[in-house]
Amino acid sequence: MLRGRSLSVTSLSGLPVWEAERLPVEDILLFEVSWEVTNKVGGIYTVIQTKAKTTADEWGENYFLIGPYFEHNMKTQVEQCEPINDAVRKAMDAMNKHGCQVYFGRWLIEGSPYVVLFDISSSAWNLDRWKGDFWEACGVGIPHHDREANDMLIFGSLTAWFLKEVTDHADGKHVIAQFHEWQAGTGLVLSRARKLPISTIFTTHATLLGRYLCAANIDFYNQLDKFNIDKEAGERQIYHRYCMERASVHCAHVFATVSGITAIEAEHMLKRKPDVVTPNGLNVKKFSAVHEFQNLHVMYKARIQDFVRGHFYGHLDFDLEKTLFLFIAGRYEFSNKGADIFLESLSRLNFLLRMHKSNVTVVVFFIMPAKTNNFNVETLKGQAVRKQLWDTAHAMKEKFGKKLYDGLLRGEIPDMNSILDRDDITIMKRAIFSTQRQSLPPVTTHNMIDDSTDPILSTIRRIGLFNNRADRVKVILHPEFLSSTSPLLPMDYEEFVRGCHLGVFPSYYEPWGYTPAECTVMGIPSVTTNLSGFGCFMQEHVADPTAYGIYIVDRRFRSPDDSCNQLTQFLYGFCKQSRRQRIIQRNRTERLSDLLDWRYLGRYYQHARHLSLSRAFPDKFHLEPTSPPTTDGFKYPRPPSVPPSPSGSQTSSPQSSEGEDDRDGDDDERYDEEEEAERDRLNIKSPFLLNHVPKGKKKLHGEYKN
């Protein structure tokens, strides 16, 4: 093993975890390559951005991110500087002398990691030559009409060139290169074809073909072993992209995916079983509000209530203190994100609440961007009416207060008739008349361009959730990402999530699932599925996820109708909880945030790096006999106190759910927040040990045959 300052992964308690696996980080250069470095396209941007601080703290000046150069991103996100590392500086100089434009600086995010950015357009004149190189390397041709694939080839060729220059000037230092998704994979293929002395990791966050197949409403998971992969890719005209991805997978020393469910998918789609699962985390410190998260919930809930007052003006015949706010957010993928099953379950929930004559109202927000013309006039009018009523009430309060104050100073109890004159009564009547409306509150806040064919609106018409007075479930489609500058709902996404009661993400295809993870670290319960990486991760780590506010719908082994019924029961059970039960559940949910912290999940990435080094340089790194991090014997236990659902302590009807804060002294004695929290802290701090593979059982690294 090389000598130098060594790095070991530690548990959150500070205890060393992998004593057998230490890396001399001063003698290793770590590069992460992704098209989404400083370039937000999807979820990989979040992965890299949130992980940067933890990785930079571990690797210091030897950690670099490689991505594409875009002028706007460079000006707004990167502080240019000169590279300190000699190998990186010499590599950049060599490439710039040959006409390439390579930029270096610090990415202005937490951790301030170094970034190396390649200008794709300045090197496009090499495209034909690099296509020939790629064909010679792996026999994959890229059509000229696929602009994205051509850009990825240029990016990959520049990456491989850069890594070659780095290794030529590395002065004995080893190089680890981790490539994210097929967009960066061409650099890996070319690096291996040129036999560069580097260890490589390829991480797929979702298989390319898997996304296409699920978008076509195919019974994906039950047909995994039956697909003719080449035929399916060819029919969708992505065969060359699929080949680029598959070549990257098979060339890598270590193949990683982000979840167990994606590992199963990758084994069938890409014909190689992943070596390591590297779950996605969050920089939990960013979201932590210490003991204030319950207060933040109350504060931001009040702002959502203000919006609801305006949106439902004239139909506000329900008690906002007994109203629950649910939401679904993400890309507008109607089936993949589970919006179809969610709407159907809302219809059934509405029936249950009406049948039981519940006084609980559920307002559901769909935050999914779609093509729109502009804000809905009726929605804007609603907020204007609300503001006008507020101004009127405020003016009347000032006038009333002054007269009351003067009367009390004179030692008199004012007569109401003297305080409110006829003009005041007229103003109040006009205010009341202004709240009358002939139409129902709109189900969307914007004018949709494809109103007649929009999947969400079409389903709403079919199930009849039109925000009628009798409906206990109200629906609002907000086809735009949230912004604090919006005239309708001026809230950032984080503020909105904190103000809601439950996030619902019943996805069919979700390799990880950052939306429920973000809910968890903010102390908001959420619904996920066993087809999402997050749901599988929580099932593995938490003995009773429901008790901790993680409702996991079975979409893998149940029929769609059974899954819909299960989701309906989850939602109905949540509606039956008392306010006190929801507060307890939020406390438990927030405690799970340690599980999603990169300080904890970074160990999986560290193991992947160890494994890649042992395979690339077996004479210097002998780490192959160790297994990945194990969670044997570790689970958050089921809390012994207040039940997660009110079935054991309350009648089947949710009628009086909100006013029962102090209804049950026994529950107060059974629930001890500090005791539960301390027990969970001890669990998360338990060190994870690596199990050694018995002799004779070692599995050799190889590729699955076609």
Side-chain angles (χ1 to χ4, degrees):
M1 178 72 73
L2 295 174
R3 294 184 179 181
R5 182 170 64 89
S6 62
L7 171 71
S8 65
V9 179
T10 60
S11 68
L12 296 186
S13 63
L15 298 174
V17 178
W18 295 343
E19 293 292 347
E21 298 196 20
R22 292 178 178 270
L23 290 181
V25 295
E26 290 183 349
D27 297 321
I28 301 174
L29 301 178
L30 173 62
F31 295 90
E32 277 198 70
V33 187
S34 172
W35 186 253
E36 298 197 33
V37 171
T38 75
N39 177 40
K40 185 172 178 58
V41 178
I44 302 173
Y45 178 91
T46 305
V47 175
I48 295 171
Q49 182 192 43
T50 57
K51 185 169 63 67
K53 185 182 186 308
T54 303
T55 312
D57 288 346
E58 293 172 354
W59 290 82
E61 302 292 311
N62 287 356
Y63 175 54
F64 305 88
L65 292 163
I66 297 177
Y69 167 83
F70 293 100
E71 184 178 5
H72 175 72
N73 295 340
M74 186 73 184
K75 288 181 177 178
T76 57
Q77 298 185 49
V78 180
E79 179 185 17
Q80 273 193 270
C81 62
E82 290 298 318
I84 298 176
N85 186 279
D86 286 340
V88 172
R89 185 179 66 254
K90 291 176 181 178
M92 288 179 57
D93 291 342
M95 294 179 70
N96 286 326
K97 286 179 182 178
H98 287 83
C100 300
Q101 293 184 20
V102 185
Y103 298 84
F104 187 87
R106 285 193 179 273
W107 192 2
L108 299 179
I109 59 175
E110 198 166 1
S112 301
Y114 289 127
V115 291
V116 180
L117 305 178
F118 301 130
D119 187 347
I120 306 301
S121 59
S122 69
S123 301
W125 57 277
N126 288 303
L127 179 60
D128 288 338
R129 177 167 62 86
W130 286 340
K131 280 187 177 182
D133 293 343
F134 195 66
W135 173 264
E136 292 177 2
C138 60
V140 176
I142 301 175
H144 69 277
H145 59 78
D146 190 343
R147 172 73 180 273
E148 184 179 5
N150 287 324
D151 285 348
M152 300 313 154
L153 176 59
I154 298 172
F155 177 56
S157 299
L158 290 169
T159 301
W161 184 359
F162 176 78
L163 290 175
K164 181 185 183 305
E165 296 291 341
V166 167
T167 54
D168 287 347
H169 302 93
D171 294 331
K173 288 188 177 182
H174 290 79
V175 174
I176 303 174
Q178 180 165 5
F179 300 81
H180 292 270
E181 284 290 299
W182 71 273
Q183 290 96 330
T186 52
L188 189 155
V189 175
L190 292 169
S191 297
R192 293 303 307 279
R194 294 165 186 171
K195 299 182 179 179
L196 300 186
I198 64 175
S199 67
T200 57
I201 306 167
F202 182 78
T203 301
T204 182
H205 297 256
T207 68
L208 185 65
L209 187 56
R211 285 195 183 277
Y212 276 85
L213 291 172
C214 286
N217 293 324
I218 290 176
D219 186 11
F220 181 67
Y221 291 98
N222 288 326
Q223 303 293 326
L224 267 178
D225 57 343
K226 300 179 178 64
F227 287 121
N228 183 332
I229 304 299
D230 294 333
K231 176 176 176 291
E232 297 289 350
E235 288 179 350
R236 288 160 178 78
Q237 299 184 14
I238 57 166
Y239 187 69
H240 57 287
R241 295 190 183 190
Y242 166 73
C243 291
M244 293 164 70
E245 180 182 38
R246 186 162 163 179
S248 305
V249 167
H250 287 273
C251 286
H253 291 106
V254 170
F255 174 38
T257 62
V258 298
S259 65
I261 193 68
T262 310
I264 296 171
E265 171 191 343
E267 185 175 0
H268 288 88
M269 294 287 108
L270 300 172
K271 307 304 180 184
R272 177 177 175 183
K273 186 175 182 179
D275 303 293
V276 181
V277 172
T278 54
N280 290 336
L282 286 164
N283 186 359
V284 173
K285 194 173 183 180
K286 173 186 175 185
F287 294 99
S288 66
V290 194
H291 301 295
E292 288 294 314
F293 78 97
Q294 293 281 9
N295 296 335
L296 291 174
H297 168 72
V298 173
M299 181 173 68
Y300 293 126
K301 180 179 71 173
R303 290 170 61 177
I304 298 175
Q305 288 175 335
D306 279 343
F307 169 80
V308 170
R309 288 187 180 99
H311 193 82
F312 290 93
Y313 82 93
H315 289 257
L316 200 64
D317 54 354
F318 51 91
D319 187 352
L320 282 175
E321 292 304 315
K322 296 181 180 178
T323 299
L324 302 179
F325 300 128
L326 279 58
F327 79 100
I328 181 174
R331 289 190 301 272
Y332 200 143
E333 297 177 7
F334 184 65
S335 297
N336 281 358
K337 295 299 181 184
D340 51 355
I341 187 177
F342 186 29
L343 280 166
E344 184 61 40
S345 68
L346 289 177
S347 176
R348 301 179 187 187
L349 175 65
N350 187 47
F351 171 78
L352 286 175
L353 294 176
R354 292 177 62 177
M355 183 180 68
H356 287 280
K357 295 181 171 33
S358 171
N359 60 4
V360 172
T361 303
V362 178
V363 176
V364 184
F365 294 87
F366 286 76
I367 313 295
M368 306 179 87
K371 294 181 180 179
T372 63
N373 285 327
N374 211 325
F375 294 111
N376 186 307
V377 173
E378 189 64 22
T379 305
L380 288 171
K381 180 183 176 184
Q383 299 307 313
V385 168
R386 178 192 63 80
K387 187 176 185 306
Q388 182 186 23
L389 284 174
W390 172 258
D391 292 342
T392 300
H394 192 70
M396 297 295 292
K397 181 184 72 172
E398 291 292 325
K399 187 175 181 182
F400 178 93
K402 187 176 184 304
K403 289 184 177 181
L404 177 63
Y405 174 67
D406 291 340
L408 293 176
L409 281 178
R410 292 193 299 268
E412 303 172 355
I413 297 179
D415 181 21
M416 290 297 296
N417 292 326
S418 64
I419 289 182
L420 295 175
D421 54 30
R422 291 190 62 182
D423 288 342
D424 296 330
I425 300 295
T426 301
I427 290 173
M428 287 191 290
K429 286 182 177 179
R430 289 178 60 183
I432 292 173
F433 290 158
S434 71
T435 64
Q436 296 178 0
R437 73 197 304 178
Q438 303 302 318
S439 60
L440 293 172
V443 296
T444 179
T445 58
H446 292 61
N447 295 322
M448 304 288 289
I449 290 180
D450 299 320
D451 183 286
S452 59
T453 59
D454 182 80
I456 291 179
L457 294 181
S458 298
T459 306
I460 289 174
R461 296 185 189 103
R462 178 177 61 81
I463 62 180
L465 281 181
F466 295 121
N467 295 338
N468 287 299
R469 289 182 183 272
D471 288 332
R472 296 274 54 85
V473 175
K474 318 286 186 180
V475 178
I476 301 173
L477 170 61
H478 188 280
E480 198 174 72
F481 285 130
L482 295 168
S483 170
S484 59
T485 60
S486 170
L488 281 183
L489 189 55
M491 300 179 72
D492 289 330
Y493 178 72
E494 179 184 340
E495 297 171 344
F496 176 79
V497 171
R498 287 191 184 276
C500 287
H501 294 91
L502 182 71
V504 185
F505 314 101
S507 304
Y508 182 77
Y509 186 77
E510 192 72 79
W512 176 246
Y514 260 118
T515 41
E518 288 166 343
C519 286
T520 301
V521 301
M522 287 187 271
I524 302 301
S526 61
V527 176
T528 182
T529 73
N530 60 353
L531 290 181
S532 76
F534 173 82
C536 295
F537 182 80
M538 283 300 171
Q539 278 185 321
E540 181 183 358
H541 285 76
V542 184
D544 184 2
T546 303
Y548 285 88
I550 309 295
Y551 298 88
I552 302 175
V553 178
D554 185 356
R555 296 204 64 182
R556 188 176 180 190
F557 302 111
R558 293 194 182 196
S559 68
D561 187 61
D562 286 344
S563 298
C564 188
N565 284 333
Q566 185 184 24
L567 176 56
T568 304
Q569 289 304 313
F570 282 154
L571 299 179
Y572 184 55
F574 188 82
C575 292
K576 289 166 64 178
Q577 288 186 359
S578 67
R579 176 180 286 141
R580 179 173 176 275
Q581 286 175 317
R582 291 199 302 273
I583 290 173
I584 292 172
Q585 191 178 59
R586 282 198 294 272
N587 285 333
R588 292 174 181 162
T589 302
E590 195 271 342
R591 288 204 299 273
L592 293 181
S593 60
D594 281 343
L595 275 177
L596 302 171
D597 195 334
W598 276 120
R599 290 177 299 163
Y600 169 77
L601 295 178
R603 64 186 68 189
Y604 294 92
Y605 274 81
Q606 193 67 7
H607 177 71
R609 294 167 194 145
H610 295 152
L611 197 56
S612 69
L613 282 171
S614 69
R615 290 178 175 175
F617 311 106
D619 55 328
K620 296 181 179 179
F621 294 90
H622 307 285
L623 303 173
E624 184 78 29
T626 58
S627 64
T630 175
T631 56
D632 291 345
F634 170 77
K635 274 195 176 184
Y636 271 77
R638 187 188 189 283
S641 56
V642 177
S645 97
S647 57
S649 59
Q650 162 175 342
T651 60
S652 60
S653 171
Q655 289 182 4
S656 56
S657 61
E658 284 291 333
E660 301 176 3
D661 293 2
D662 301 313
R663 61 178 172 76
D664 196 335
D666 293 338
D667 278 351
D668 288 327
E669 294 177 2
R670 292 168 57 202
Y671 177 69
D672 188 326
E673 166 65 21
E674 287 302 319
E675 182 182 337
E676 274 195 14
E678 181 59 28
R679 184 164 55 248
D680 286 342
R681 279 193 291 269
L682 290 174
N683 273 305
I684 190 66
K685 288 181 180 180
S686 299
F688 282 45
L689 300 177
L690 287 172
N691 294 328
H692 292 273
V693 178
K695 291 184 179 180
K697 297 284 187 177
K698 179 179 174 182
K699 186 174 181 179
L700 297 176
H701 171 57
E703 299 174 352
Y704 278 68
K705 295 182 178 179
N706 294 339

